Amino acid sequence: MREVAFIKQNKEKWLNFEKAIFGKTLKNPDELASLYIHLVNDLSYAQTYYPKSKTILYLNNLAAKAFQKIYKTKREDTNRFVHFWKIEVPLIVHQYRRYVLYAFVIFLSFSAIGALSAAYDDSFVRLILGDHYVNMTLENIEKGDPVAVYKSGSNWGSAFGITLNNLYVGIKAFIFGVFAGLGTGLVMLYNGIMLGSFQYFFYKEGVFWESVRGIWIHGSMEIFAIVIEGAAGLILGASILFPKTYSRMTSFKMGMKDGVKILISTFPFTIAAGILEGYVTRYSNVMPNWLSVGIILTTLSLITFYYLVYPFILHKKLKNKYAII
């Protein structure tokens, strides 16, 4: 069958299914699951006979959205809060995994640019961090405590202020994605260059290890969360630039909804990073190496597993159980 005939034959069915998914016209998960099976069959047919067609992209995206709704509304549904963190967010992250990859590549590239700029231009660090901060840090290095800046202020005051600032940065990284993703890119540019130049500054002063075992106690989750929030912003931007077969408004609503869920999922990690920075990082210089390194590896492992490992494990498990594409 020619592709045009295939589309014409099934177009009405797909449109009705799309209305059921996005318009919530179907509330019965069994009825939805029955239509889902037909959709999967159509997708398999299209993959076999029209491997380079845009129809595959449309059907694959529709199937992924359908699966999320079926799993959410199935009779043995779990607590909504648990479902959000355990199922919904990981599946969304897996669906947009390439944007997570793009975010990491972009952020690491900007960090490398920041480090190289600091290496070849002695004034660059002062330009990025400011003379006051650089001079203060140099004084702290001479006193034998390179990360003494984290000891300023009270524990709870520092944790509260830092957490609010990090939440602001994350929300801004996402919201600025509305400018076709360019705003998100600028947020990642600033933070990436600042991180790269900041770490090179300590390396140049010969206290790189002391800075790592202090800064990354909270930095592992803080920086990782910013990258994920950047990915959410890129998703929002892509929903505007590349609506695929949807209207631009429908695509934007989908990108906004999925992006917000990813953004919200980062908040516990951001809050935890703020607490660590306010209560733990300030004691890094008196901690044994095994403790500081242990905290860094634990926090990094937790957030890495949730965003980079668990989504693939969950997707594979559900794919085998429910034939998800």
Side-chain angles (χ1 to χ4, degrees):
M1 183 188 302
R2 297 181 62 182
E3 184 180 3
V4 174
F6 173 70
I7 294 175
K8 185 177 181 180
Q9 176 180 311
N10 296 284
K11 181 179 180 180
E12 185 175 352
K13 177 178 63 178
W14 298 341
L15 290 176
N16 289 335
F17 191 69
E18 187 175 330
K19 291 178 181 178
I21 296 300
F22 301 111
K24 300 181 180 180
T25 58
L26 285 177
K27 296 183 180 180
N28 187 336
D30 292 329
E31 187 178 356
L32 195 61
S34 177
L35 290 175
Y36 174 72
I37 292 173
H38 289 285
L39 182 66
V40 171
N41 289 336
D42 291 340
L43 176 56
S44 298
Y45 186 91
Q47 289 174 324
T48 301
Y49 295 101
Y50 322 115
K52 297 182 180 180
S53 172
K54 291 183 178 179
T55 303
I56 294 175
L57 295 176
Y58 169 74
L59 293 177
N60 194 45
N61 185 60
L62 194 57
K65 293 291 183 182
F67 173 80
Q68 290 178 22
K69 183 166 184 178
I70 292 170
Y71 197 85
K72 182 176 67 175
T73 58
K74 65 190 183 67
R75 289 170 181 167
E76 63 270 27
D77 195 14
T78 58
N79 177 275
R80 185 68 185 87
F81 180 82
V82 174
H83 179 273
F84 176 80
W85 298 101
K86 186 178 179 181
I87 303 296
E88 194 168 357
V89 170
L91 286 180
I92 293 174
V93 170
H94 183 272
Q95 180 184 347
Y96 293 103
R97 56 193 178 279
R98 59 177 176 168
Y99 291 98
V100 175
L101 174 62
Y102 298 157
F104 271 102
V105 171
I106 292 171
F107 189 85
L108 291 175
S109 296
F110 288 148
S111 296
I113 291 173
L116 287 173
S117 299
Y120 288 97
D121 185 351
D122 293 336
S123 64
F124 186 77
V125 174
R126 291 183 176 274
L127 176 66
I128 299 298
L129 301 178
D131 288 330
H132 173 72
Y133 187 88
V134 171
N135 292 334
M136 177 181 63
T137 303
L138 288 173
E139 292 177 3
N140 291 333
I141 291 174
E142 291 180 1
K143 296 176 182 178
D145 192 1
V147 292
V149 65
Y150 296 106
K151 295 182 179 180
S152 59
S154 64
N155 289 17
W156 70 269
S158 297
F160 183 74
I162 291 165
T163 298
L164 286 182
N165 178 72
N166 291 342
L167 289 173
Y168 168 73
V169 172
I171 293 172
K172 184 169 68 172
F174 169 65
I175 293 298
F176 279 17
V178 75
F179 300 109
L182 295 177
T184 296
L186 288 175
V187 174
M188 297 178 73
L189 169 68
Y190 174 75
N191 285 277
I193 287 180
M194 184 170 63
L195 175 64
S197 60
F198 184 58
Q199 283 290 209
Y200 185 83
F201 170 65
F202 285 106
Y203 170 77
K204 183 179 178 181
E205 297 300 321
V207 289
F208 179 73
W209 171 243
E210 289 81 355
S211 71
V212 168
R213 62 190 294 265
I215 295 168
W216 289 95
I217 284 177
H218 63 271
S220 294
M221 287 196 292
E222 178 184 312
I223 299 301
F224 204 117
I226 290 176
V227 175
I228 298 299
E229 290 152 354
L234 295 179
I235 291 169
L236 181 60
S239 72
I240 299 171
L241 293 175
F242 312 110
K244 298 180 182 177
T245 57
Y246 303 104
S247 68
R248 202 170 297 277
M249 180 55 69
T250 298
S251 177
F252 172 72
K253 289 179 180 178
M254 291 166 56
M256 174 65 77
K257 183 178 179 181
D258 291 339
V260 166
K261 290 178 180 178
I262 294 175
L263 173 67
I264 291 173
S265 74
T266 66
F267 289 172
F269 295 104
T270 300
I271 293 171
I275 293 173
L276 285 172
E277 186 169 352
Y279 284 89
V280 181
T281 300
R282 63 178 61 223
Y283 303 113
S284 63
N285 68 317
V286 296
M287 285 184 185
N289 283 335
W290 65 266
L291 181 56
S292 57
V293 172
I295 294 173
I296 293 170
L297 292 179
T298 299
T299 55
L300 182 60
S301 296
L302 283 173
I303 195 168
T304 299
F305 177 78
Y306 186 72
Y307 287 108
L308 302 187
V309 180
Y310 179 62
F312 287 89
I313 295 175
L314 178 64
H315 180 269
K316 183 178 180 180
K317 176 183 176 181
L318 298 182
K319 179 180 179 180
N320 294 336
K321 188 175 182 180
Y322 295 100
I324 181 175
I325 302 303

